[in-house]
Amino acid sequence: MPARPHLAAAPRALLASLALLGACQSNPAQTDETTATTPAATDAAAKPDSTGKKYLAQPLVKDIYTADPSAHFFNGRIYIYPSHDIETGMPENDNGDHFAMRDYHILSMDSVGGKVTDHGVALDIKDIPWAGRQLWAPDAAFKNGTYYLYFPVKDKQDIFRIGVATSKSPTGPFKAEPKPMEGSLSIDPAVFTDTDGQTYMYMGGIWGGQLQRWRTGKYDGSKPKEQEPAASEPSVGPRVARLGADMKQFAEPVREVKILDKEGKVLLSGDNNRRFFEGAWMHKYQDKYYLTYSTGDTHFLAYATGTSPYGPFTYQGTFMNPVQGWTTHHSIVEVKGKWYIFYHDTQLSDKTWLRNVKVTELKRGADGSLALINP
């Protein structure tokens, strides 16, 4: 989802309408492979830019706008699968129609802080047979000699589904399957392969991501502003399903992930500082599963831990304070013994719909707790 001004204190109705604008966006299509020469800053101290503002890290690329980075370490190299923000010139509205992303660029680098290569367009919306509009935050996976690109896009009926495209190269080009994944829904696919080789997809985002419209198990767009639970009701959790051997379909029904407080109760819908909003990511550390996610209208990255990839997960705290801009969306990856978080803000444009991806080191306490980051 795109970044917007911090409005946590604003009335909830206003926040709801503004958040529908929040969705992963893009910038004009670029087909040539290019190399950026600006290394990522990963120093502990924030550094000022030309305006005097201080940022913990600098944008990985500056010639296109990128957001929602899903990072992976494939064959000794870091690959980043972001959404690609563009200036559409369309007026803003509650449906987020001006976030009309059309393609994906894939970035790569040998090491954090090194040169970043933009490999050009890896998948274009015109090459997805079932797609209607709005290519939002993707993710990727590798298995059995094939790379898989998972993407959310609205179908011809304006309902978000998850699609999959394949390639023999981590940078594409990717060829999309003719239909969306059966049983898929909403946005923000995040794919996690466990140490036993089983692979799972996490997905979902409320408000503009439509997840609240699936509360009954079937899509219902008849009363979109009334379908989010009341503040005193249990919050809507992300969804998860194990992928089949072909990595193109689910091997089981999609189920809801429960995020609990320390007393074992599901977080409430009105608990905006802790409840799930969008952008789930899964990683494993010392046999513990870490579900990390964005709280959306309060702009935190939070984490919860569990003993199973299905959950339930117990809320542990915030690990990143709000970035500049409305949305925050991330991924976490281990590279040569160190852990890094890839995220975005609006340093380059100062516009909520034109973001830039960044990276910084993720540090832990002796007990595995995630250290708080001030971006």
Side-chain angles (χ1 to χ4, degrees):
M1 292 180 61
R4 311 190 70 67
H6 296 308
L7 299 169
R12 186 176 177 122
L14 173 61
L15 285 168
S17 65
L18 286 171
L20 287 173
L21 301 175
C24 316
Q25 285 336 97
S26 300
N27 200 43
Q30 174 181 329
T31 56
D32 296 330
E33 182 175 299
T34 60
T35 299
T37 57
T38 303
T42 56
D43 304 86
K47 295 184 177 181
D49 69 357
S50 59
T51 67
K53 294 180 181 179
K54 292 184 177 181
Y55 301 91
L56 179 61
Q58 294 300 308
L60 292 181
V61 293
K62 295 184 177 181
D63 56 338
I64 62 171
Y65 292 109
T66 52
D68 315 311
S70 293
H72 293 273
F73 192 57
F74 293 142
N75 300 319
R77 188 171 176 85
I78 302 166
Y79 293 90
I80 307 160
Y81 300 83
S83 53
H84 175 204
D85 285 350
I86 57 173
E87 179 63 82
T88 65
M90 300 171 65
E92 296 185 35
N93 62 30
D94 289 351
N95 296 321
D97 293 320
H98 56 295
F99 296 119
M101 312 77 70
R102 297 190 295 265
D103 62 27
Y104 295 121
H105 283 233
I106 296 170
L107 311 176
S108 73
M109 53 187 176
D110 286 325
S111 61
V112 172
K115 291 182 178 180
V116 180
T117 298
D118 175 2
H119 296 274
V121 175
L123 179 65
D124 192 292
I125 195 168
K126 64 180 174 56
D127 297 320
I128 303 170
W130 56 273
R133 61 191 181 114
Q134 297 178 294
L135 280 172
W136 288 10
D139 194 17
F142 174 73
K143 186 171 282 191
N144 301 324
T146 299
Y147 293 89
Y148 300 85
L149 181 67
Y150 300 94
F151 55 89
V153 67
K154 287 180 176 176
D155 63 15
K156 307 293 187 183
Q157 288 72 48
D158 232 29
I159 300 172
F160 270 115
R161 308 281 186 180
I162 308 298
V164 58
T166 57
S167 175
K168 291 300 181 181
S169 168
T171 59
F174 285 85
K175 181 176 176 56
E177 293 294 302
K179 295 181 179 180
M181 299 175 69
E182 186 175 352
S184 66
L185 51 88
S186 195
I187 61 171
D188 295 346
V191 181
F192 164 74
T193 298
D194 205 346
T195 48
D196 63 359
Q198 296 294 323
T199 300
Y200 304 83
M201 178 183 290
Y202 301 82
M203 69 196 98
I206 61 174
W207 294 3
Q210 302 179 342
L211 184 59
Q212 74 278 2
R213 302 183 186 186
W214 290 90
R215 290 176 65 193
T216 65
K218 295 183 179 180
Y219 181 83
D220 179 4
S222 61
K223 299 179 180 180
K225 293 185 178 181
E226 299 177 18
Q227 289 167 317
E228 188 178 357
S232 60
E233 294 179 340
S235 58
V236 176
R239 301 298 196 265
V240 63
R242 182 171 54 85
L243 290 173
D246 69 353
M247 297 288 283
K248 296 179 180 179
Q249 296 294 339
F250 299 133
E252 60 186 8
V254 172
R255 65 182 79 179
E256 185 172 3
V257 175
K258 302 295 185 182
I259 303 174
L260 315 176
D261 62 20
K262 294 295 178 64
E263 286 70 49
K265 297 180 180 179
V266 175
L267 296 181
L268 300 181
S269 181
D271 191 353
N272 295 40
N273 285 330
R274 300 193 297 174
R275 62 91 170 88
F276 169 80
F277 187 97
E278 64 182 1
W281 187 263
M282 175 62 63
H283 76 277
K284 192 175 184 180
Y285 179 75
Q286 294 184 348
D287 294 327
K288 186 180 292 185
Y289 297 88
Y290 287 70
L291 177 70
T292 53
Y293 58 92
S294 170
T295 63
D297 55 333
T298 49
H299 318 291
F300 298 115
L301 287 183
Y303 76 107
T305 59
T307 58
S308 164
Y310 295 111
F313 297 93
T314 302
Y315 177 86
Q316 300 297 332
T318 294
F319 72 100
M320 180 176 270
N321 282 329
V323 298
Q324 176 179 296
W326 200 90
T327 64
T328 186
H329 191 122
H330 74 295
S331 60
I332 294 170
V333 64
E334 184 180 15
V335 180
K336 299 178 181 178
K338 285 189 175 183
W339 289 87
Y340 296 93
I341 177 172
F342 289 75
Y343 62 103
H344 68 235
D345 65 17
T346 61
Q347 178 180 344
L348 292 180
S349 72
D350 203 22
K351 295 180 179 180
T352 62
W353 59 93
L354 299 176
R355 297 155 294 172
N356 45 257
V357 298
K358 296 183 171 185
V359 60
T360 195
E361 188 175 352
L362 180 71
K363 297 183 179 180
R364 303 176 190 269
D367 60 353
S369 59
L370 302 184
L372 182 63
I373 299 169
N374 288 305

